[in-house]
Amino acid sequence: MKRLALNLAMITTMAASSAVAKNDRVNRVDSEASLRAAIEAANYDSTIKSIIFKKGTKISLHAPVIYTGHQALTVYGNGSEIDGSLAGHFELDGNLTAITEDGSLVFNTASNITIHKLTVSHSATRGIVINIPADAHDKDIEVTLDKVIISHSALYGLHIDDNADDFDEGFVGSDIGIDLKISQSSFIGNGTGAIDFDGIRVDERGKGDIHAVIMQTHIDGNGGDGIELDEAGEGDVYASMMHVTLNGNGFYNAADLDDGFDIDEADAGSIEVNLFDVEVNDNQDEGLDFDEAGEGHIHAVLRKITAQNNFNEAIKIDEEDAGDIAARMTKIDASNNGDDGIQLTESGEGKIISNLHQVTADNNNKYGIKMEQWVVEDEEESIEPAGKLTVKRVEMSGNGNGDDVKINNVMLMKK
Ligand SMILES: [Ca+2]
Ligand SMILES: [Ca+2]
Ligand SMILES: [Ca+2]
Ligand SMILES: [Ca+2]
């Protein structure tokens, strides 16, 4: 008995030392094999909470690396680069879009994932993928990227997927929401391998919100949208950006071009957006394209936005069904766009309350500023109380449809 106890103690000690060795090993990721070993170890040992790269490591992956653990995990890249050009495959479906399970780094978990100072480039499919299990419940997942570069992925750069179905199909998802925090990062040149793949794509389904906070980040030159937040089922979208560029996105599919920043909110729930110092130029569809449907409102506070040379509207906000639009825009330049500069459309029950201060909208193909409140779009007579637009220091010139604010059932007040 004593001997058995002693043996057990020895086994425990060995197990402990092997855990230390494992930790030691994960602390020195310097190759594809050591990265796989580190992730594999973390998949089976929930005491492993970090993966640490040796400074400046360069790895070419030959297959996706897949985390399936239940613990929160932090990846310290230390300036390392992963080339994903040989890591996975996709097939084109009947609509010539792509279906795949692959990505260079895949995290199948509802636990928090943090990634620091890592580059993932040239992925054969997606760059970084977070798949939220359909049975996830309780706490929202937090995904935090700091000093991360995801470039030249064939499909999505970053894909956070709470959708139980393949890609964009269906409405079934987990009970949790998604908290995304991104700082000092770049998402460049992704989505050039098939139709409708964005620099950043968040698909949230079922219960739960999307909270996205993005700072000091470049989201440029992606084939689909620069970033798309797609929320369905119960729940809201809260998005903040500060010092962000969303330039030159949406060029891949000539038949259905894409935006700089696209929010699609469906069912119960609202959109609340707060942008400060954002450049949104040269996108092939809209610059900012926010669509809310079902019950819920859109609140947008936009300050210091340059939105020029977009092929469609620079700033387009659409609210359908019950709910209002409240939009405050300050220091906006929405010039030289292919449709309207600023276009707000509210329909169903609800009203528009908007305030524009120091706004320039020159040389747009249609209107500089258009704000329309409807119950049913294009109705002949308004049956609702009018909305209200207050303008101060708003300048328009050279717009294709003239330089007056185009309104429907909105009272215009000049200050
Ligand atoms: Ca959900
Ligand atoms: Ca939801
Ligand atoms: Ca809604
Ligand atoms: Ca409405």
Side-chain angles (χ1 to χ4, degrees), residues 23-243:
N23 270 317
D24 194 42
R25 213 164 51 230
V26 303
N27 287 349
R28 292 184 192 169
V29 168
D30 61 357
S31 62
E32 180 175 18
S34 57
L35 175 59
R36 284 187 194 288
I39 292 284
E40 197 68 5
N43 287 344
Y44 292 103
D45 181 351
S46 63
T47 66
I48 297 176
K49 298 193 184 333
S50 58
I51 306 287
I52 303 173
F53 284 72
K54 194 176 156 199
K55 196 173 173 185
T57 294
K58 287 190 178 11
I59 293 175
S60 177
L61 284 185
H62 290 80
V65 169
I66 304 172
Y67 176 68
T68 55
H70 297 287
Q71 71 275 28
L73 191 72
T74 300
V75 176
Y76 296 96
N78 281 316
S80 296
E81 290 183 34
I82 293 174
D83 179 320
S85 54
L86 303 174
H89 304 277
F90 65 85
E91 288 172 15
L92 291 176
D93 73 3
N95 301 321
L96 291 180
T97 188
I99 300 284
T100 185
E101 302 274 301
D102 291 347
S104 291
L105 297 183
V106 179
F107 299 85
N108 295 329
T109 189
S111 296
N112 298 346
I113 298 297
T114 303
I115 303 175
H116 285 291
K117 223 174 175 184
L118 182 69
T119 295
V120 178
S121 73
H122 298 95
S123 296
T125 62
R126 298 174 286 178
I128 296 178
V129 180
I130 319 271
N131 285 313
I132 300 171
D135 62 357
H137 52 89
D138 299 334
K139 258 180 84 239
D140 288 358
I141 185 171
E142 287 175 24
V143 177
T144 306
L145 271 54
D146 176 55
K147 300 189 178 81
V148 168
I149 299 169
I150 305 180
S151 75
H152 304 99
S153 311
L155 309 179
Y156 298 122
L158 171 67
H159 190 195
I160 304 179
D161 195 5
D162 180 45
N163 190 340
D165 297 291
D166 285 333
F167 292 96
D168 218 5
E169 302 297 320
F171 291 94
V172 179
S174 79
D175 284 351
I176 68 168
I178 295 162
D179 286 5
L180 173 62
K181 293 188 182 71
I182 297 174
S183 51
Q184 296 187 63
S185 293
S186 296
F187 302 81
I188 310 282
N190 300 287
T192 57
I195 287 173
D196 195 20
F197 288 96
D198 313 317
I200 299 172
R201 173 65 162 265
V202 180
D203 286 314
E204 198 281 334
R205 295 291 184 279
K207 289 183 186 165
D209 305 324
I210 297 173
H211 289 252
V213 178
I214 302 180
M215 298 169 73
Q216 290 164 300
T217 287
H218 298 288
I219 306 173
D220 301 333
N222 297 287
D225 298 313
I227 170 170
E228 175 170 340
L229 305 179
D230 199 350
E231 194 276 342
E234 202 180 295
D236 305 314
V237 176
Y238 301 91
S240 302
M241 288 186 185
M242 190 189 284
H243 310 311

Side-chain angles (χ1 to χ4, degrees), residues 262-282:
D262 188 5
I263 303 179
D264 287 318
E265 193 279 339
D267 309 315
S270 300
I271 295 177
E272 301 202 352
V273 183
N274 198 324
L275 307 184
F276 175 70
D277 187 20
V278 172
E279 253 179 45
V280 52
N281 300 327
D282 306 306

Side-chain angles (χ1 to χ4, degrees), residues 292 294 296-297 318-325 345-352 373-375 384:
E292 190 275 342
H297 57 255
D318 271 318
E319 195 278 337
E320 286 179 29
D321 308 316
D324 304 323
I325 296 178
T345 310
E346 190 277 339
S347 63
E349 192 190 305
K351 59 184 183 299
I352 292 179
Q373 179 183 314
W374 308 98
V375 177
E384 286 183 316

Side-chain angles (χ1 to χ4, degrees), residues 366-379:
K366 294 187 182 171
Y367 294 99
I369 299 167
K370 177 163 126 177
M371 292 205 183
E372 297 184 317
Q373 179 183 314
W374 308 98
V375 177
V376 179
E377 208 160 328
D378 296 329
E379 72 221 359

